[in-house]
């Protein structure tokens, strides 16, 4: 039986970072495109374990890093080059995601031990709009009688319905040889260039089916409080997406807790949904666009395929509201659970990063976006929507977030620069700026008022060691806490004025 393995990367525009710090996945159907240029000579190795290096016409961004080259491996995955060709070596034996060491910075629609010595072709196409790669009629090394058929797409920011989304499409996942059908012997997912973070969809499991596609949608996790222990300070939260377990660490280190709320693929959105001042667990389930909360107990369907889920107190009632941002048209769909009413606001454009916070000190979260193509913030003030703030702040690869660094009762504009470990904040009303050195390229910045001073502390999580590093307001006193593992979703914040995202991008200036 003839089957085809196909990979297509629809790349983002030049200097445009991928939207968001994390990826969530959804299943769907669909048909996609076919590249036209055949690879007849490999750059290195052989047709069993070899590669072809490709300088792509238009760079795209993966976890915030600018990708300029692809290394297309015969074993069904692609590694990414950030300024030059990758230097990784052959890895015919697929590994779990994430795993430190070669290959890192990879996209793996179906990583397995393929062998193109006797049959099979590789095709590619790269232009200003997209880059595409196809493995065609590829047999497994241990069973040369069969081969498999699927695609990978990464859409550009200009794609109307799903800018910057990664899609795996399985044209024919079986039946062939049962041991290899449906990804039973494969690794399926994406991995950060550090090897410390990634999204594993399948590993040695029947994870995919024929005529099924899996969409990896990039997003910024905007959430409310993590004060689960009622101390009026943020606690550390490590949500384990594989089993839906929440692992809590009390701010003063005297107590921990764990409980199960959610399932594989859910996104954690802690917030104060009942208005008692303490954090409640909530998850968003992308498969069904359902929100599931604990206190009060609720299940609400809000959103559509490809939307970016966010939470904030948009009406100032001291309760967390549910919202989604529709990236293809810049629409905000806000649901107010207390009143069971909703609102639609137009603010933003394709590829913008939604970053709601109370920027104008009226107690209401404002709709705000960061436009990476311009490194510009657009803030719609709830006090005066007709006169928004438009501020250029940041550089290519920076992680944008709201923070409170200037002693005021409202959120300020800030970015973290992973390439240098620096934080840059800006007061949008006075023009005051500040800079702090705290963190490394692999770190995830999670700004929050850890010490209860009213200012944002500089906080990072280092996935390679599962360690949190917290600096006081002056950067003189350091707290180090081991809590969580590299695959956890990390959350930590509590401030009336700040709704701060947990980061996932690693980028550069």
């Amino acid at each position: 039986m003839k089957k085809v393995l196909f990979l297509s990367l629809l790349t983002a525009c030049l200097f445009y970072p991928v939207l968001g710090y994390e990826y969530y996945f959804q299943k769907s159907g669909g048909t996609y495109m076919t590249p036209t240029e055949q690879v007849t000579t490999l750059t290195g190795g052989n047709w069993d374990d070899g590669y072809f290096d490709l300088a792509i016409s238009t760079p795209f961004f993966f976890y915030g890093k600018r990708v300029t080259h692809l290394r297309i491996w015969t074993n069904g995955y692609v590694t990414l080059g950030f300024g030059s060709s990758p230097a990784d070596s052959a890895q015919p034996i697929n590994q779990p995601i994430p795993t430190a060491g070669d290959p890192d910075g990879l996209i793996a629609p179906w990583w397995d031990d393929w062998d193109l010595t006797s049959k099979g072709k590789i095709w590619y196409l790269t232009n200003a709009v997209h880059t595409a790669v196809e493995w065609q009629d590829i047999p497994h090394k241990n069973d040369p009688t069969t081969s498999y058929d699927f695609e990978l797409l990464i859409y550009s920011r200009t794609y109307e319905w799903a800018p910057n989304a990664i899609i795996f499409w399985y044209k024919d996942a079986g039946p062939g040889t049962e041991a290899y059908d449906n990804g039973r012997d494969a690794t399926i997912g994406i991995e950060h260039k550090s090897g410390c973070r990634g999204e594993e969809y399948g590993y040695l499991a029947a994870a995919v089916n024929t005529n099924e596609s899996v969409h990896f949608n990039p997003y910024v996790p905007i959430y409310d409080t993590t004060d689960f222990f009622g101390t009026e300070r943020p606690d550390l939260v490590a949500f384990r997406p594989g089993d839906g377990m929440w692992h809590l660490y009390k701010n003063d280190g005297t107590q921990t807790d764990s409980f199960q709320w959610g399932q594989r693929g859910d996104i954690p959105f802690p917030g104060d949904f009942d208005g008692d001042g303490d954090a409640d667990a909530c998850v968003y389930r992308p498969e069904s666009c359902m929100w599931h909360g604990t206190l009060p107990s609720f299940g609400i369907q809000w959103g559509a395929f490809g939307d970016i889920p966010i939470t904030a107190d948009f009406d100032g009632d001291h309760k967390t509201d549910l919202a989604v941002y529709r990236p293809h048209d810049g629409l905000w769909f806000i649901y107010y659970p207390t009143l069971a009413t909703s609102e639609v606001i137009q603010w933003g454009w394709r590829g913008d990063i939604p970053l709601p916070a109370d920027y104008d000190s009226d107690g209401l979260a404002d709709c705000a976006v960061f436009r990476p193509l311009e490194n510009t913030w657009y803030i719609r003030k709830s006090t005066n929507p007709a006169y928004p703030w438009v501020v250029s702040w940041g550089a290519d690869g920076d992680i944008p977030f709201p923070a409170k660094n200037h002693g005021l009762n409202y959120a300020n504009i800030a970015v973290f620069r992973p390439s240098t470990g620096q934080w840059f904040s800006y007061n949008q009303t006075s023009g005051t700026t500040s800079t702090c050195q705290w963190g490394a390229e692999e770190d995830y910045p999670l700004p929050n008022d850890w010490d209860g001073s009213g200012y944002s502390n500089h906080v990072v999580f280092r996935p390679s060691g599962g360690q949190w590093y917290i600096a006081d307001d002056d950067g003189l006193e350091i707290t180090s806490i081991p809590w969580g593992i590299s695959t956890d979703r990390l959350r930590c914040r509590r401030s009336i004025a700040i709704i701060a995202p947990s980061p996932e991008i690693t980028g550069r200036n």
Side-chain angles (χ1 to χ4, degrees), residues 282-307:
C282 176
V283 297
Y284 177 75
R285 191 157 296 159
E287 290 289 332
S288 58
C289 301
M290 288 289 296
W291 298 79
H292 297 276
T294 54
L295 292 173
S297 178
F298 64 84
I300 298 171
Q301 186 173 42
W302 191 254
F305 194 92
D307 285 351

Side-chain angles (χ1 to χ4, degrees), residues 140-445:
H140 197 279
K141 185 172 183 177
N142 296 332
D143 186 358
T145 65
T146 61
S147 53
Y148 293 84
D149 178 343
F150 76 81
E151 294 187 15
L152 162 66
L153 299 165
I154 298 181
Y155 283 105
S156 75
R157 66 169 294 277
T158 59
Y159 181 64
E160 182 175 1
W161 297 103
N164 303 303
I166 299 172
I167 300 175
F168 300 166
W169 178 43
Y170 300 91
K171 296 180 180 178
D172 194 346
T177 299
E178 185 175 357
Y180 311 117
D181 285 352
N182 308 103
R184 285 182 172 87
D185 192 52
T187 296
I188 298 170
I190 60 178
E191 186 174 280
H192 189 279
K193 72 176 289 288
S194 69
C196 297
R197 191 73 174 178
E199 301 297 334
E200 182 181 86
Y201 187 78
Y203 176 66
L204 306 183
V208 298
N209 298 300
T210 298
N211 295 325
E212 178 180 270
S213 64
V214 180
H215 296 232
F216 290 80
N217 298 298
Y219 72 102
V220 172
I222 304 297
Y223 58 95
D224 208 335
T225 179
T226 63
D227 179 13
F228 280 92
F229 292 96
T231 62
E232 298 186 356
R233 295 189 181 187
D235 305 310
L236 304 183
V237 176
F239 175 80
R240 206 143 291 168
D243 56 15
M245 289 294 296
W246 296 64
H247 300 278
L248 312 180
Y249 181 96
K250 190 176 179 180
N251 183 283
D252 61 8
T254 62
Q255 189 176 348
T256 63
D257 192 15
S258 296
F259 60 88
Q260 199 276 336
W261 187 257
Q263 64 186 36
R264 181 177 179 270
D266 286 353
I267 307 170
F269 284 95
D272 184 6
F273 296 93
D274 56 6
D276 66 353
D278 297 342
D280 311 305
C282 176
V283 297
Y284 177 75
R285 191 157 296 159
E287 290 289 332
S288 58
C289 301
M290 288 289 296
W291 298 79
H292 297 276
T294 54
L295 292 173
S297 178
F298 64 84
I300 298 171
Q301 186 173 42
W302 191 254
F305 194 92
D307 285 351
I308 299 172
I310 47 182
T311 58
D313 181 7
F314 289 96
D315 58 1
D317 65 353
H318 304 292
K319 296 181 181 179
T320 302
D321 303 312
L322 308 178
V324 295
Y325 176 78
R326 195 151 293 166
H328 73 271
D329 56 13
L331 288 174
W332 299 64
F333 295 84
I334 304 171
Y335 180 77
Y336 304 103
T338 302
L339 302 175
T341 59
S342 62
E343 183 179 12
V344 180
I345 297 174
Q346 171 72 56
W347 192 255
W349 189 235
R350 298 173 190 168
D352 287 353
I353 298 175
L355 297 169
D358 181 11
Y359 294 94
D360 56 4
S361 192
D362 65 348
L364 281 67
D366 305 304
C367 293
V369 298
F370 176 75
R371 191 160 297 164
L373 187 62
E374 306 168 355
N375 294 310
T376 301
W377 296 67
Y378 295 84
I379 301 172
R380 180 186 183 272
K381 294 180 286 186
S382 54
T383 53
N384 196 347
Y387 293 90
W389 278 308
V390 179
V391 181
S392 295
W393 192 254
D396 296 321
D398 285 354
I399 301 170
F401 49 78
K404 187 171 178 244
N405 297 117
H406 297 281
L408 302 170
N409 293 320
Y410 51 84
N412 307 130
I413 291 168
V415 297
F416 174 72
R417 191 158 297 164
S419 59
T420 61
Q422 291 177 293
W423 304 61
F424 301 90
S425 64
Y426 177 85
N427 186 330
Q428 62 274 13
T429 62
S430 68
T432 305
T433 65
S434 64
T435 304
C436 178
Q437 177 75 50
W438 189 255
E441 185 171 13
E442 71 165 284
D443 292 347
Y444 311 151

Side-chain angles (χ1 to χ4, degrees), residues 418-485:
S419 59
T420 61
Q422 291 177 293
W423 304 61
F424 301 90
S425 64
Y426 177 85
N427 186 330
Q428 62 274 13
T429 62
S430 68
T432 305
T433 65
S434 64
T435 304
C436 178
Q437 177 75 50
W438 189 255
E441 185 171 13
E442 71 165 284
D443 292 347
Y444 311 151
L446 295 102
N448 65 78
D449 185 10
W450 178 258
D451 56 13
S453 68
Y455 297 84
S456 289
N457 297 103
H458 297 98
V459 181
V460 298
F461 175 78
R462 190 158 297 166
S464 58
Q467 199 85 5
W468 297 70
Y469 295 95
I470 304 168
D472 67 5
D473 297 331
D474 298 321
L476 301 177
E477 185 177 338
I478 300 171
T479 301
S480 176
I481 303 172
W483 193 254
I485 60 176

